[in-house]
Amino acid sequence: MSSASFNYVRATELTDALSQGKRPGAAYLAGGTDLLQLWKASLTAPQDVIDISRLPLADITRAGDRLVIGAMARLSDVAAHPEVKAGHPLICDAILASASGQVRNLATAGGNLLQRTRCPYFSDAGLACNKRDPGSGCGARDGENRHAVLFGGSSGCVATHASDLAVALAALDAEIAISSASGERQLALSDLYPLPGETTAPDSSLRPGEMITAIRIVGAERFAPHSTYLKIRDRASFEFAVVSVAAALRIEDGVIAEARLAAGGVASLPWRLGRSEAALIGRAPTEQAFAAAGELAIEGARPLEGNAFKIPLLRNAVIRALQTAGDQS
Amino acid sequence: MPSRLALTCHNRSLTFQCCGDEHQMTQSQDAKFPKQRIALSITVNGTRHELEAAPTATLLDVIRDELKLTGTKKGCDMGGCGACTVLVAGRRIASCLALAASFGDADITTIEGIGTADRLHPLQDAFIRHDALQCGYCTPGQILSAIAVLAEGARSIEEIREGMSGNLCRCGAHANIVAAIAEVAGL
Ligand SMILES: Cc1cc2nc3c(=O)[nH]c(=O)nc-3n(C[C@H](O)[C@H](O)[C@H](O)COP(=O)(O)OP(=O)(O)OC[C@H]3O[C@@H](n4cnc5c(N)ncnc54)[C@H](O)[C@@H]3O)c2cc1C
Ligand code: SF4
Ligand code: FES
Ligand code: FES
């Protein structure tokens, strides 16, 4: 149990929450499933915990071709929502492959995107870690790095982002709505996650006091008939991804008209596989086309000592995800 | 050498007497937050409880340490084992990752609330008949989780296995646990 205490404040209005949240030492608590773990492990010690779980930001709505998921919506409610199931099954797949039923009933969509890395060095306060302690070095780079990134790593950090939902959302070009005491802004989901620097590696680009209020997905229902989330892990369920792939295709008259591919477990952000996507356009959904996309997915991968196995794993996962997505009707 | 050393420990403060003087030690961080107490009005197994808890207390701590309902177990305290599973308004949660203050008006069901020795819940009865436990430490969480998995609509062995994956059993009774739940599900 962490030794540090904190003060608890329940926010009932957004403006109130935002003005409390900008104070130094304040932390938002939504589902609390990540924050409390970090607090118990003494990896974070907020002075004020601002409980935002009851803010009226939990609605899931569809208007026209736009789906809006309130940041406080619990993961289980997002996955069970009829509009999400019908129009965005990729999101349901990714959520249902995350954590456990007990955790998904607590965890929120916004909190999921902001969970901290699962790098084992980050979680052990005795070890060097630039993400936890900027400038202290990176223990994983030359240490135990089976879990590390293939793309976008730096000499300062090679940790992956652990969210499954983020990978599905990246494939669907989701946007994040952000509020703070000084106003509102929007970000493409992929811009929420910075690449690591040489001595620092923040897990998100949110500024102090900013709050995610909603996730917006526009025009993605066209992918519903041909999408899938494939998660490869060390055990069949209740485990983080070693590698994962979100695949979404639009197939018209037997030809791939649009393709979206994002990989998890390989970078500090959901890694869009642009070259694979481009190579699929205009081709029939055949084994040859999928194999070519798999090869392109691993181009530029830079493995460390312990994680080269992820390269064939990623290639094969891309192929298998495309086979599944291509087979659906 | 002190002739007498009497220790009393309450919450985070330690009182001891040494050489006739009384000393009190309080965890330093607490001094910054002059003991904020959160008023809770929670219903557990149909009984309403008005109590106060520390802002840092989890729902699991309140259930076990304040209400003395020790059927709900603490395993990992990190969301990873399912021993602490309780139902809140019928939904299963890991009570070790739920801040009590966030659930201050919740309607909670624990293992003590689902059956008695004379009138077992069908899942309790099935767990016994299927030998679905050895030490029993995970069992309350398994049963609460199973109630929810069936309510969530699991219709096959595969769905039961997946639905129960958040509940670990160190004794390895998983096969019999799944069999017991499947029987109650009518599979
Ligand atoms: C045992 C276990 C297994 C898990 N397995 C998986 C898995 O397989 N896949 C996966 O994707 N995840 C997994 N997770 C992670 C889990 O999904 C996250 O902990 C959860 O989604 C976080 O959401 P929350 O609402 O509980 O966040 P909180 O813990 O409340 O918050 C997380 C962080 O975000 C901040 N925050 C929360 N909401 C907002 C907001 N709206 N705006 C700004 N800041 C905010 C908080 O201050 C905190 O820093 C697992 C967790 C556990 C405990
Ligand atoms: S990979 Fe990143 S999170 Fe892991 S030890 Fe290095 S700096 Fe820390
Ligand atoms: S004690 Fe809560 S999940 Fe292990
Ligand atoms: S019966 Fe011993 S842990 Fe499950």
Side-chain angles (χ1 to χ4, degrees):
Chain A
M1 172 70 77
S2 170
S3 56
S5 190
F6 53 71
N7 209 45
Y8 172 88
V9 182
R10 180 182 293 164
T12 49
E13 280 180 35
L14 180 59
T15 47
D16 174 41
L18 295 172
S19 67
Q20 308 250 20
K22 73 176 183 201
R23 295 209 307 261
Y28 294 128
L29 175 133
T33 61
D34 201 50
L35 190 73
L36 290 180
Q37 285 193 65
L38 296 169
W39 174 76
K40 288 181 189 192
S42 298
L43 294 169
T44 186
Q47 279 180 33
D48 297 291
V49 164
I50 319 296
D51 183 351
I52 55 175
S53 63
R54 305 219 185 173
L55 293 180
L57 294 171
D59 286 352
I60 300 164
T61 52
R62 180 180 157 230
D65 66 349
R66 166 190 287 244
L67 178 75
V68 180
I69 299 171
M72 300 317 143
R74 309 279 176 173
L75 291 183
S76 48
D77 293 329
V78 180
H81 196 278
E83 298 283 6
V84 187
K85 279 164 90 169
H88 304 82
L90 181 58
I91 293 177
C92 303
D93 286 358
I95 289 177
L96 294 176
S98 305
S100 65
Q102 292 94 314
V103 173
R104 294 194 296 269
N105 276 336
L106 288 169
T108 64
N112 181 273
L113 301 181
L114 295 170
Q115 62 179 293
R116 306 297 309 268
T117 186
R118 293 276 161 172
C119 174
Y121 291 81
F122 172 80
S123 321
D124 187 333
L127 301 175
C129 172
N130 283 325
K131 199 183 273 295
R132 172 171 30 77
D133 204 355
S136 65
C138 170
R141 224 195 132 82
D142 298 314
E144 165 48 51
N145 50 32
R146 179 178 186 272
H147 56 280
V149 301
L150 292 178
F151 303 103
S154 72
S155 60
C157 180
V158 290
T160 60
H161 199 273
S163 166
D164 290 295
L165 175 61
V167 180
L169 292 176
L172 299 177
D173 276 345
E175 283 197 336
I176 306 298
I178 296 166
S179 286
S180 70
S182 48
E184 294 175 10
R185 64 181 180 124
Q186 304 237 13
L187 268 189
L189 177 99
S190 44
D191 293 334
L192 185 60
Y193 303 114
L195 288 170
E198 297 309 308
T199 53
T200 58
D203 274 322
S204 94
S205 57
L206 280 198
R207 300 169 195 142
E210 283 191 324
M211 189 192 299
I212 296 182
T213 55
I215 299 162
R216 299 197 186 114
I217 303 129
V218 181
E221 291 185 12
R222 62 187 189 276
F223 295 110
H226 293 286
S227 62
T228 197
Y229 188 70
L230 174 63
K231 183 173 176 183
I232 314 283
R233 26 191 170 176
D234 286 334
R235 59 183 182 193
S237 182
F238 196 27
E239 188 53 271
F240 289 93
V242 178
V243 162
S244 70
V245 174
L249 301 174
R250 186 166 66 80
I251 302 177
E252 230 173 53
D253 303 328
V255 170
I256 298 170
E258 280 182 278
R260 301 278 184 82
L261 285 167
V266 297
S268 63
L269 67 161
W271 199 252
R272 277 290 284 269
L273 303 169
R275 278 189 295 256
S276 306
E277 293 176 4
L280 287 164
I281 311 289
R283 298 192 60 177
T286 60
E287 293 302 311
Q288 292 90 323
F290 296 160
E295 292 300 335
L296 287 168
I298 58 177
E299 264 188 15
R302 294 185 48 195
L304 296 166
E305 198 181 338
N307 70 348
F309 75 99
K310 281 189 179 181
I311 294 178
L313 198 60
L314 173 62
R315 181 194 58 214
N316 295 347
V318 166
I319 296 171
R320 218 173 95 198
L322 285 169
Q323 287 168 342
T324 308
D327 272 354
Q328 295 157 346
S329 50
Chain B
M1 288 293 286
S3 56
R4 192 164 61 111
L5 190 62
L7 292 174
T8 353
C9 194
H10 179 67
N11 269 351
R12 282 154 195 254
S13 97
L14 181 73
T15 310
F16 64 95
Q17 289 175 353
C18 181
C19 310
D21 293 330
E22 186 169 295
H23 304 266
Q24 195 178 25
M25 292 168 66
T26 310
Q27 270 185 13
S28 58
Q29 282 278 353
D30 274 8
K32 273 200 277 175
F33 309 106
K35 39 181 182 318
Q36 186 193 16
R37 302 291 288 173
I38 308 285
L40 309 176
S41 173
I42 53 178
T43 304
V44 182
N45 304 325
T47 307
R48 177 88 156 262
H49 300 270
E50 313 283 341
L51 68 159
E52 287 191 340
T56 51
T58 63
L59 195 54
L60 175 61
D61 293 336
V62 166
I63 290 169
R64 286 182 55 85
D65 301 342
E66 305 293 331
L67 302 180
K68 309 291 181 204
L69 292 169
T70 52
T72 307
K73 302 301 183 201
K74 182 183 278 193
C76 63
D77 209 23
M78 287 285 187
C81 75
C84 65
T85 304
V86 300
L87 306 181
V88 171
R91 288 160 62 115
R92 55 181 168 148
I93 64 162
S95 63
C96 69
L97 291 185
L99 211 53
S102 303
F103 288 84
D105 50 5
D107 184 358
I108 299 156
T109 305
T110 69
I111 190 71
E112 289 88 350
I114 65 156
T116 62
D118 304 332
R119 291 179 57 117
L120 294 172
H121 185 280
L123 277 163
Q124 290 174 313
D125 184 48
F127 266 58
I128 294 169
R129 280 183 295 98
H130 284 268
D131 206 10
L133 58 142
Q134 286 180 39
C135 75
Y137 197 81
C138 71
T139 314
Q142 299 278 3
I143 289 181
L144 271 294
S145 200
I147 291 174
V149 166
L150 295 179
E152 288 161 17
R155 291 281 172 274
S156 65
I157 300 289
E158 212 21 71
E159 285 174 6
I160 291 172
R161 286 167 57 95
E162 172 57 32
M164 293 298 293
S165 70
N167 293 81
L168 307 190
C169 174
R170 282 312 270 277
C171 300
H174 293 283
N176 296 355
I177 291 169
V178 171
I181 301 168
E183 185 197 276
V184 175
L187 294 169

